[in-house]
Amino acid sequence: AEKVLGYDLLSLCLEGPRDALDRTQHCQPAVFVASLAAVEKLNHLQPEVVERCVAAAGYSVGEFAALVFAGAMGFAEALYAVKVRAEAMQKASEAVPSGMLSVVGRREANYKFACLEARKHCESLGIENPVCTVSNYLFPDSRVIAGHLQALEFLQENARKYYFKRAKMLPVSGAFHTRLMEPAVEPLAEVLKSIEIQKPLLCVYSNVDGKKYMHSKHIQKLLVKQVVSPVLWEQTMHSVYERKQGTEFPYTYEVGPGNQLGAILKQCNLKAWKQYKHVDALEDEEEAE
């Protein structure tokens, strides 16, 4: 990874500084590499889990790790694509004061209407073509809304009016998965054209539509589209775990830093979550046991 990136990713992950690691240009390669390192660890501890795996999915940049795991791309080439994506998204996020707001709503919450009113508020401030839209579907009643900072501040101030139980700014530098990321589309599209992409050896689900990737051209097209499209994670969870009544649920492993996807799975599908484990590359093996 250090050869591809041109800096010491391991020491950045282990020693920081934290604010450098939080910048998307470093954070994305770190998540990608740490996820695949956790796969290696799982393969070392329980090789049969990796051999029997039938499906994979990754959240945002994690989708690249899922595709490498499924044999669709080589590690070094995918990491280079992630580097280009991360740097282009960092640059796009610095162009406009924007961000992401994590929202937990009541049953009555209407996210589209709230976003529409936040955009109107921005227009009243003289912002042309404001962006405020759902960028991540996490679990029932939980969304991430992304766009211009003024729109997100407006939603926080009016949280009660829109039936938001909680509205919290995320520590990210931009409105990822919205059209504010359009400047990142071309650089990523270019690099993906130069990479050899194979049909995955197992089912990999796309963030863009929650469906399985079909072939290499399909992967190339949707990975580019993903940068400016909402992450349909809740819908992906439904696709992955859809089964006939009475059928056993599979074992699920979250490989990589943090166990947020496990927390989301618990909210989406409690039965599937009961067969869930988390594997972190940095934990001691004794702890993991």
Side-chain angles (χ1 to χ4, degrees):
E2 191 178 337
K3 280 201 184 101
V4 173
L5 297 170
Y7 58 87
D8 184 348
L9 183 68
L10 185 61
S11 79
L12 183 62
C13 287
L14 296 176
E15 289 145 33
R18 182 66 201 245
D19 57 341
L21 188 58
D22 280 345
R23 284 172 70 84
T24 202
Q25 72 190 72
H26 299 134
C27 185
Q28 290 188 34
V31 169
F32 169 82
V33 175
S35 301
L36 289 167
V39 170
E40 288 302 324
K41 178 173 165 179
L42 179 60
N43 196 25
H44 170 71
L45 294 173
Q46 294 173 275
E48 70 286 354
V49 169
V50 173
E51 281 158 28
R52 290 197 203 133
C53 183
V54 291
Y59 186 92
S60 192
V61 73
E63 201 157 286
F64 285 82
L67 287 162
V68 170
F69 171 68
M73 294 174 173
F75 170 76
E77 289 187 314
L79 177 57
Y80 182 67
V82 167
K83 174 185 191 284
V84 169
R85 177 187 190 267
E87 286 167 358
M89 285 169 77
Q90 179 78 45
K91 203 172 157 193
S93 67
E94 284 162 6
V96 176
S98 60
M100 302 179 89
L101 185 71
S102 171
V103 174
V104 176
R106 299 186 191 285
R107 284 281 153 86
E108 313 90 300
N110 182 334
Y111 303 96
K112 274 193 175 147
F113 176 67
C115 288
L116 175 70
E117 295 224 312
R119 289 197 298 273
K120 282 184 181 159
H121 167 73
C122 284
E123 282 168 357
S124 76
L125 299 175
I127 296 170
E128 276 180 43
N129 242 337
V131 171
C132 182
T133 180
V134 173
S135 63
N136 307 71
Y137 292 81
L138 302 180
F139 54 85
D141 305 320
S142 177
R143 308 273 184 275
V144 176
I145 293 173
H148 282 84
L149 275 185
Q150 296 90 332
L152 304 181
E153 283 157 6
F154 171 83
L155 290 177
Q156 272 188 303
E157 282 158 24
N158 295 281
R160 287 184 66 178
K161 178 187 172 185
Y162 299 115
Y163 302 105
F164 295 167
K165 282 190 277 195
R166 206 182 76 217
K168 189 172 145 230
M169 288 298 289
L170 294 177
V172 295
S173 51
F176 304 139
H177 304 288
T178 70
R179 63 178 169 81
L180 287 176
M181 289 295 118
E182 266 165 13
V185 164
E186 203 43 51
L188 181 60
E190 280 307 304
V191 73
L192 287 173
K193 275 181 203 156
S194 69
I195 288 176
E196 197 182 337
I197 302 175
Q198 311 279 353
K199 187 177 191 257
L201 300 168
L202 46 103
C203 299
V204 179
Y205 290 83
S206 163
N207 288 182
V208 172
D209 57 10
K211 297 187 174 117
K212 294 169 195 171
Y213 277 117
M214 304 311 286
H215 49 77
S216 57
K217 277 273 179 278
H218 191 215
I219 292 171
Q220 192 183 327
K221 186 175 143 198
L222 290 189
L223 281 179
V224 173
K225 203 173 168 189
Q226 191 229 54
V227 173
V228 289
S229 305
V231 173
L232 304 187
W233 193 254
E234 184 186 338
Q235 296 84 333
T236 302
M237 292 298 92
H238 290 312
S239 302
V240 172
Y241 296 106
E242 196 179 8
R243 54 215 345 99
K244 287 196 183 80
Q245 199 88 35
T247 318
E248 291 265 308
F249 278 93
Y251 287 97
T252 299
Y253 293 83
E254 178 172 3
V255 281
N259 54 5
Q260 293 91 331
L261 299 181
I264 293 171
L265 178 59
K266 190 177 183 180
Q267 300 287 343
C268 282
N269 191 324
L270 192 58
K271 281 184 178 164
W273 176 78
K274 286 180 175 154
Q275 308 273 44
Y276 159 91
K277 286 192 179 74
H278 175 231
V279 182
D280 191 320
L282 294 178
E283 259 175 23
D284 290 339
E285 278 167 32
E286 292 76 47
E287 278 177 47
E289 305 270 311

